[in-house]
Amino acid sequence: MFANLPQLIIGLADLAAAFLFLYGLQRMSSPATAPSGILVAGFGMVAAVLASFLYVFSVSAAARPHLAVNIGLALIALVVGGGLAWFSGKKVAMTAMPQMVALYNGMGGGAAGAIAAVELFGNKTQGATQLLVTLLGALIGAVSLSGSLIAWAKLDGVIKQPLRIKGQQAVNAVAMIAALAVGGMILVATLGGAPVLLATPTWIYVFFGLALLFGVLMTLPIGGADMPVVISIYNALTGLAVGLEGFVLQNPALMIAGMVVGAAGLLLTLLMAKAMNRSVANVVFTNFGDAPKQVQGAIKGSLRPVEASDAGIAMRYASKVIIVPGYGLAAAQAQQKLYEFVKLLQAAKVEVKFAIHPVAGRMPGQMDVLLAEAGVPYDLIFQLEDINDDFASTDVALVIGANDVVNPAARTEKSSPIFGMPILNADKAKQVYVVKRGEGKGYAGIQNALFYGDNCNMVYGDAQAVLVKMIEAVRGLGAAAA
Amino acid sequence: MDASITMTGFVALYVFMLAAFAGWVIIGHVPAILHTPLMSGSNFVHGIVVVGGLYALLNASTTQEQVIGFIAVLLGAGNAAGGFAVTQRMLAMFQTSDAKPMPHHLHGHVHAHAKVHHLKKR
C-alpha cells in the first residue's frame, strides 16, 4: 500500500493538472475571466512539478547511486531555466512578444526532443510502437526547436532578410527524407537488425542533426509578414511532440496537454492562413511571404494630402469615428498617443471604435494586446466580422499604419494577389484619413485603391508626430471656445 | 490499489482523439482579441513537458543521460515559467471602460461619458 503512495500522488497531481489546463483555457473565452484562467492553469503546473519529485521513490536500480546528484541537477535546472524565463517574461516589451513566444515555444520543443534523446540513447523504449512514437516526437520536437529559434532571430531582427538558396525546396525535401531514412535505420537497428556503417548512437546524433537542419532550412526563407502563420505552426508542432513523448513516458497529463495545444495551434494556423487569403499548403510548401509578382492596371485619381491638424479637427466634429490600426502604429510606438487623442474625441462626445484585422501584427491578436497595453478598454476594440457593417454609417475612418488590410482591390480586382482576402471596409466610411509615412506601397507591394478614392485624405508623416499635431489642434479648439 | 498507468495502442489513440477534440472546441470559443495570450497560454500548457524532463533526469544513470535530462528540465522549466509570466502580464492589461482608473490629465466628464457609452452599447 505505502509503496504505491508516491505513484498515487503523482497520478492525482497529473490528473488535476490536466483538468486545470483545460479549465484554465476554457476561462479564456472572455477577457473578464481569462486572468483567473491562467492562474488556475499555473496551480496545475506547480502541483505536477512538485509531485514529479516523488519519482525518487521509484527510480531504477541503475539510477539509485546517482540520485542525490540528479536531484541537485533537477533543482538547479528548474531554478535557472524557470528563473531566467520568468524575469525575461516580466521585462519583455509587448512589441517583442512574438519573438518571446517563439523562444519559449522552441524551448518546449527542445525539451521534448531531449526526453526522446534520453529514451533513444538509453534504449529504454519497449516495442516497435513506442520506438516509432519516440522517433516521431524527437523529429517534431527538434524541428520545432531549431525552427522556432530561427523565427525568434527573424522577429528580433538578428536575421534581417529571408535567406533563400537555389532549389530550396529540393534541399528541404532531401533533408527531410534523410532524417526519415536515418530514423528508419535506428528503428531497425534497435529492434535487432544490424546497424549500417555507423554504430546506432552515432546515427541518433545524425538523426537529431538532420532534424535540426530541416527546421532551420524550412524557416529561413520565410518572410516577415508570414510570421503569424509560422509561430502558430511551431506552437502546434511542439504540442504534438510533447503529446507523443507523453505516450512514450506513459504520462496522460503530457498526452492531453500536448494534444490540446496541438489542436489549438492547428486552429490558429488555419485562421491566420484564411485571414491572409492563403491555403495552409501554400503557406507551408511555397515561398513564404514572397511579394507576388503581378502587373496591375493604373488607378485613376490622385492622392489628396491634408494637414494633420485639419484631420484632427474633422474628427472632433464627427459623431462616429472608427480607427483602423496596423503594425505601422506599433512600429512608431504611437499607441499611447493614439489613445490620448481618442480620449479627447470621447470628451467631445464622439463615438470611437477600433477595428482590428486578424493579421494586424506579427502574431495572432498582437494589435489587441498593444492597444490594451496603451489603456484602450477592450469594449472599444472590435474584430473584423463584428464591425465591418458599421463603416457605412461612420463619419470618419482613421487608418494608421495599415495598408493591405483596407485595400478594396481584395473585394473587386480579380487580378489582384490579395483578391478574396477579408478586408476592413474603411472605404465605405463618409471620410477616410490615412496616416502614412510616405507614398510607399503595402507589404504585398500593390497600390491601394482606397487612397485614390474621392472620400480619402492622406496625412503624411510619422504616426507619433501626426497624432501630436492632431491632439494639439483639438486641444486648441477647446482653449479657443473657453 | 494499483496506481500505475499502462496505455497501449488504442487507449492512447482514444486519449489523443478526445484531447484534440476538447482542445479544438475550447480554443474555438476564445475570441480573436485574446489570440496572443491564448497562444502564449497554450505555450505555457505544453511546458508540462518539464515533468517528463524531471522523470528522465531523476532516472538518469549515465553522464550522458544526466546532461540531456538536465537540458530537458532547463528548457521545459523555461517554457513553463516564461509562458506563464507573459500570459499573466498580457491578460492583466485587458480592462473595460468601467474598471478604468481615471486619467489625471483629463476632465471628469470623460469617465462619465465612457461609462454611458459603454452601457448604451450593451
Side-chain angles (χ1 to χ4, degrees), chain A residues 4 28 38 45 52 66 70 85 89-90 92 94 101 105 108 235 250 261 339 346 364-366 377-379, chain B residues 1 6-7 16 34 36 42-44 46 54 57 59-61 66 68 78-79 84 89 93 95-97 100 113:
Chain A
N4 266 337
M28 284 213 184
I38 186 67
M45 185 72 75
S52 56
H66 306 280
N70 288 350
K90 286 286 174 197
V92 61
M94 285 298 144
V101 170
N105 190 55
N235 197 30
Q250 295 282 295
V261 177
Y339 186 45
Q346 288 177 328
Q366 195 192 4
Y378 63 78
D379 47 271
Chain B
M1 168 173 181
T6 325
M7 250 176 313
F16 279 146
L34 291 182
T36 294
S42 59
N43 213 324
F44 158 73
H46 67 52
L54 283 168
L57 177 54
N59 279 294
S61 53
Q66 284 176 325
I68 305 175
N79 180 181
F84 183 87
R89 254 182 83 198
M93 288 172 184
Q95 304 291 334
T96 63
S97 300
K100 199 159 47 88
H113 174 68

Side-chain angles (χ1 to χ4, degrees), chain A residues 98-480:
Chain A
Q99 52 264 47
M100 215 61 206
V101 170
L103 195 59
Y104 296 146
N105 190 55
M107 293 169 105
I115 293 168
V118 172
E119 297 288 316
L120 290 173
F121 283 120
N123 201 358
K124 296 182 180 194
T125 55
Q126 285 155 8
T129 311
Q130 267 206 9
L131 185 56
L132 187 67
V133 173
T134 308
L135 285 165
L136 201 59
L139 182 69
I140 297 172
V143 169
S144 188
L145 168 65
S146 62
S148 296
L149 286 178
I150 297 295
W152 166 80
K154 279 169 166 287
L155 287 161
D156 208 47
V158 178
I159 300 175
K160 293 210 169 56
Q161 286 295 317
L163 299 175
R164 299 198 178 98
I165 49 173
K166 267 200 170 159
Q168 179 88 45
Q169 291 181 35
V171 175
N172 290 7
V174 167
M176 187 79 234
I177 291 167
L180 288 174
V182 174
M185 196 144 32
I186 296 167
L187 188 71
V188 172
T190 312
L191 292 177
V196 187
L197 293 173
L198 304 167
T200 306
T202 317
W203 278 121
I204 295 173
Y205 280 114
V206 174
F207 176 69
F208 276 104
L210 285 168
L212 291 170
L213 180 70
F214 178 76
V216 172
L217 287 174
M218 185 177 140
T219 322
L220 272 180
I222 300 171
D226 271 346
M227 278 304 161
V229 181
V230 177
I231 302 185
S232 306
I233 290 176
Y234 284 129
N235 197 30
L237 286 183
T238 301
L240 194 59
V242 170
L244 293 176
E245 295 312 324
F247 169 73
V248 175
L249 297 178
Q250 295 282 295
N251 186 325
L254 263 70
M255 292 170 68
I256 291 172
M259 254 336 125
V260 165
V261 177
L266 179 63
L267 185 67
L268 285 172
T269 306
L270 293 175
L271 282 177
M272 286 301 108
K274 193 174 146 224
M276 293 170 127
N277 198 30
R278 319 250 306 258
S279 72
V280 175
N282 173 276
V283 167
V284 175
F285 295 114
T286 57
N287 312 308
F288 269 83
D290 249 351
K293 300 169 201 78
Q294 60 112 34
V295 189
Q296 90 174 37
I299 299 173
K300 292 192 190 81
S302 57
L303 297 169
R304 194 173 330 107
V306 296
E307 287 300 316
S309 51
D310 295 340
I313 290 167
M315 279 180 265
R316 157 69 180 76
Y317 288 109
S319 62
K320 279 174 81 176
V321 172
I322 297 181
I323 298 172
V324 180
Y327 194 70
L329 177 75
Q333 293 287 333
Q335 308 93 293
Q336 309 274 350
K337 281 283 167 230
L338 177 61
Y339 186 45
E340 200 180 325
F341 178 61
V342 167
K343 281 187 283 194
L344 278 176
L345 294 182
Q346 288 177 328
K349 307 236 185 298
V350 182
E351 187 191 314
V352 186
K353 291 176 181 175
F354 289 84
I356 310 288
H357 192 275
V359 292
R362 288 288 177 267
M363 70 184 287
Q366 195 192 4
M367 189 51 64
D368 303 281
V369 172
L370 292 171
L371 289 179
E373 185 193 20
V376 177
Y378 63 78
D379 47 271
L380 301 185
I381 303 174
F382 294 84
Q383 307 301 315
L384 185 140
E385 61 276 12
D386 300 324
I387 199 166
N388 240 356
D389 294 336
D390 289 12
F391 280 103
S393 61
T394 293
D395 301 305
V396 177
L398 174 63
V399 179
I400 303 185
N403 192 341
D404 294 331
V405 298
V406 289
N407 191 342
R411 280 199 311 260
T412 54
E413 289 265 348
K414 283 224 166 67
S415 65
S416 174
I418 60 167
F419 180 73
M421 179 173 112
I423 58 153
L424 288 161
N425 297 332
D427 58 318
K428 302 240 167 116
K430 291 189 188 95
Q431 286 289 311
V432 181
Y433 289 92
V434 178
V435 178
K436 226 170 155 296
R437 292 185 69 88
E439 292 189 7
K441 294 168 184 173
Y443 176 77
I446 46 177
Q447 293 285 358
N448 193 333
L450 169 75
F451 302 165
Y452 294 87
D454 289 336
N455 59 347
C456 187
N457 308 280
M458 308 298 292
V459 184
Y460 291 116
D462 171 71
Q464 174 108 255
V466 165
L467 282 163
V468 167
K469 280 185 201 153
M470 287 182 178
I471 290 167
E472 279 169 4
V474 174
R475 285 240 172 87
L477 283 180

Side-chain angles (χ1 to χ4, degrees), chain A residues 4 7-8 21-22 25-26 28-31 34-35 38-39 41-42 45 48-49 52-53 55-56 58-60 62-63 66-67 69-71 73-74 76-78 80-82 85-86 89-92 94 97 101 104-105 107-108 110-112 114-115 117-118 121-122 124 205 231-232 235 238-239 242-244 247 249-252 254-257 259-261 263-264 266-268 270-271 339-340 343 346-347 349-351 363-366 368-369 372-373 375 377-383 475, chain B residues 1-107 109-111 113-114 117-122:
Chain A
N4 266 337
Q7 287 295 329
L8 186 63
F21 290 160
L22 289 170
L25 287 173
Q26 193 264 327
M28 284 213 184
S29 55
S30 152
I38 186 67
L39 207 60
M45 185 72 75
V49 169
S52 56
F53 275 92
Y55 284 131
V56 296
S58 58
V59 295
S60 61
H66 306 280
L67 198 54
V69 177
N70 288 350
I71 292 173
L73 286 173
I76 293 169
L78 280 177
V80 172
W86 179 268
K90 286 286 174 197
K91 268 206 334 244
V92 61
M94 285 298 144
M97 199 50 79
V101 170
Y104 296 146
N105 190 55
M107 293 169 105
I115 293 168
V118 172
F121 283 120
K124 296 182 180 194
Y205 280 114
I231 302 185
S232 306
N235 197 30
T238 301
V242 170
L244 293 176
F247 169 73
L249 297 178
Q250 295 282 295
N251 186 325
L254 263 70
M255 292 170 68
I256 291 172
M259 254 336 125
V260 165
V261 177
L266 179 63
L267 185 67
L268 285 172
L270 293 175
L271 282 177
Y339 186 45
E340 200 180 325
K343 281 187 283 194
Q346 288 177 328
K349 307 236 185 298
V350 182
E351 187 191 314
M363 70 184 287
Q366 195 192 4
D368 303 281
V369 172
E373 185 193 20
Y378 63 78
D379 47 271
L380 301 185
I381 303 174
F382 294 84
Q383 307 301 315
R475 285 240 172 87
Chain B
M1 168 173 181
D2 186 13
S4 68
I5 297 168
T6 325
M7 250 176 313
T8 49
F10 273 103
V11 181
L13 286 175
Y14 276 103
V15 171
F16 279 146
M17 186 269 289
L18 289 171
F21 196 81
W24 185 271
V25 172
I26 291 171
I27 302 307
H29 281 113
V30 177
I33 191 171
L34 291 182
H35 274 174
T36 294
L38 166 67
M39 188 165 279
S40 65
S42 59
N43 213 324
F44 158 73
V45 165
H46 67 52
I48 187 71
V49 70
V50 67
V51 167
L54 283 168
Y55 176 82
L57 177 54
L58 292 173
N59 279 294
S61 53
T62 65
T63 309
Q64 186 192 36
E65 285 178 6
Q66 284 176 325
V67 170
I68 305 175
F70 182 82
I71 293 171
V73 177
L74 191 76
L75 294 177
N79 180 181
F84 183 87
V86 295
T87 308
Q88 195 190 33
R89 254 182 83 198
M90 283 191 280
L91 289 176
M93 288 172 184
F94 285 89
Q95 304 291 334
T96 63
S97 300
D98 306 318
K100 199 159 47 88
M102 197 162 65
H104 58 89
H105 57 280
L106 283 173
H107 300 295
H109 65 269
V110 176
H111 189 53
H113 174 68
H117 163 79
H118 177 62
L119 291 176
K120 262 195 298 199
K121 206 168 66 75
R122 296 288 132 171

Side-chain angles (χ1 to χ4, degrees), chain A residues 40 88 450:
Chain A
V40 294
S88 66
L450 169 75

